[in-house]
Every structure is written in structure tokens, then in C-alpha cells.
């Protein structure tokens, strides 16, 4: 087997990765569709949902969502300009303000969450709870492996 040949396990992982990337594209499109009636996008919805858990800074939110801090900052600034979030002082870090939902933000998030619940219930029923829980374990384990590789020191 040459250096560019994959093992059966390598082939299986490549197929898994491609499937997950395709799924991510569909989830983003569906998220945009669910968020659009409230004037939002998937990315803005994610930041609103993170802001629901008051106490996260832009950097915390970016880490939690696996996004670039600069992108989350841009989205948060737009949400603030629309009155959906506000920045509050962070007792742990003077310059890193906390993102907090306003009443308008809570309303928009509640509208999107209601549409998402119907959508998730329908798809969850079609796929089945047990299969979805197994898939979640696999994806979570894969993410953990990537995090371990990033934090491991190079050989």
C-alpha cells in the first residue's frame, strides 16, 4: 500500500467526513429558512441562542460555536445595532463585554425556536431517537479526537 492509499478505515472516515459536510450545508440552509421569517440567518440565530446564556463574551461565544471571533463580533455588532442584544460589563474581563439578549432578541429567538421545534420533531420522528443518539455520540467523539490532536504537542 502506497503513502496515498487509504485503509478501509480511512475510506470509511473520508465517507463519514463528506457526509457530515453535506449535512452541515443542509442544516445551514434549513437554519436560514427557519430564521428568515424573524429577519435572521443561521449564524445570527446561533449568536442569539448563545446570548440567551448570559455571561458569554464574544470570544466565549465564538469558542462555543466553533467560529472565528471576528465573525461573531461582526454578527454581534449587527444584532446590537438592531436592538436584539446589548453588551454588558464583564466582571472577569474589563474589555471583553458580555452579550445579553434584549426583549426584542428574546422575542425573535422564541419565534425561531418555536419553528425549530416543529421541524426537529418531524425529522426526529422520521429518523428515530436511538439512531440520532448513536450518531450524536459518534460526532461528539470525532470532535473530541480533533480537539485532542490540536492540543497534543507535535512529534
Amino acid at each position: 500500500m502506497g503513502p496515498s492509499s487509504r485503509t478501509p478505515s480511512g475510506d470509511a472516515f473520508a465517507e463519514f467526513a463528506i457526509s457530515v459536510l453535506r449535512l452541515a450545508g443542509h442544516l445551514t440552509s434549513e437554519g436560514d429558512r427557519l430564521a428568515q421569517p424573524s429577519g435572521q440567518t443561521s449564524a445570527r440565530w446561533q449568536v442569539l441562542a448563545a446570548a440567551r446564556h448570559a455571561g458569554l463574551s464574544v470570544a466565549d461565544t465564538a469558542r462555543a460555536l466553533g467560529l472565528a471571533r471576528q465573525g461573531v463580533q461582526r454578527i454581534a455588532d449587527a444584532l446590537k445595532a438592531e436592538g436584539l442584544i446589548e453588551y454588558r460589563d464583564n466582571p472577569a474581563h474589563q474589555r471583553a463585554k458580555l452579550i445579553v439578549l434584549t426583549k426584542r432578541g428574546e422575542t425573535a429567538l422564541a419565534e425561531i425556536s418555536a419553528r425549530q421545534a416543529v421541524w426537529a420533531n418531524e425529522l426526529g420522528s422520521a429518523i428515530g431517537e436511538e439512531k440520532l443518539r448513536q450518531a450524536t455520540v459518534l460526532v461528539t467523539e470525532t470532535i473530541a479526537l480533533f480537539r485532542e490532536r490540536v492540543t497534543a504537542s507535535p512529534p
Side-chain angles (χ1 to χ4, degrees):
M1 176 176 2
S4 63
S5 298
R6 287 195 304 240
T7 63
S9 294
D11 283 340
F13 183 80
E15 291 170 19
F16 169 74
I18 289 167
S19 296
V20 170
L21 289 170
R22 287 181 179 152
L23 176 60
H26 287 288
L27 291 174
T28 298
S29 295
E30 286 293 295
D32 286 343
R33 185 183 64 76
L34 291 166
Q36 190 278 329
S38 297
Q40 303 306 313
T41 64
S42 288
R44 292 164 63 105
W45 174 16
Q46 289 179 54
V47 175
L48 286 171
R52 174 182 14 190
H53 308 290
L56 293 180
S57 66
V58 167
D60 294 333
T61 300
R63 274 190 294 279
L65 298 175
L67 300 172
R69 189 202 59 77
Q70 295 87 345
V72 172
Q73 183 69 63
R74 184 178 39 76
I75 292 167
D77 288 344
L79 292 170
K80 182 182 184 312
E82 293 175 22
L84 299 170
I85 66 159
E86 61 186 29
Y87 294 119
R88 292 222 179 118
D89 287 338
N90 182 348
H93 193 288
Q94 190 173 9
R95 289 185 6 189
K97 302 287 186 197
L98 302 178
I99 301 171
V100 180
L101 282 178
T102 63
K103 290 290 182 199
R104 283 186 61 203
E106 288 173 8
T107 299
L109 185 57
E111 291 170 355
I112 298 167
S113 296
R115 285 189 294 275
Q116 191 272 351
V118 172
W119 174 82
N121 290 344
E122 182 181 299
L123 288 170
S125 177
I127 297 167
E129 180 184 358
E130 186 57 34
K131 284 172 66 175
L132 288 165
R133 294 205 184 281
Q134 290 171 356
T136 300
V137 168
L138 176 59
V139 169
T140 302
E141 288 173 352
T142 305
I143 291 168
L145 281 173
F146 278 106
R147 286 190 175 141
E148 288 172 19
R149 293 174 68 87
V150 168
T151 58
S153 55

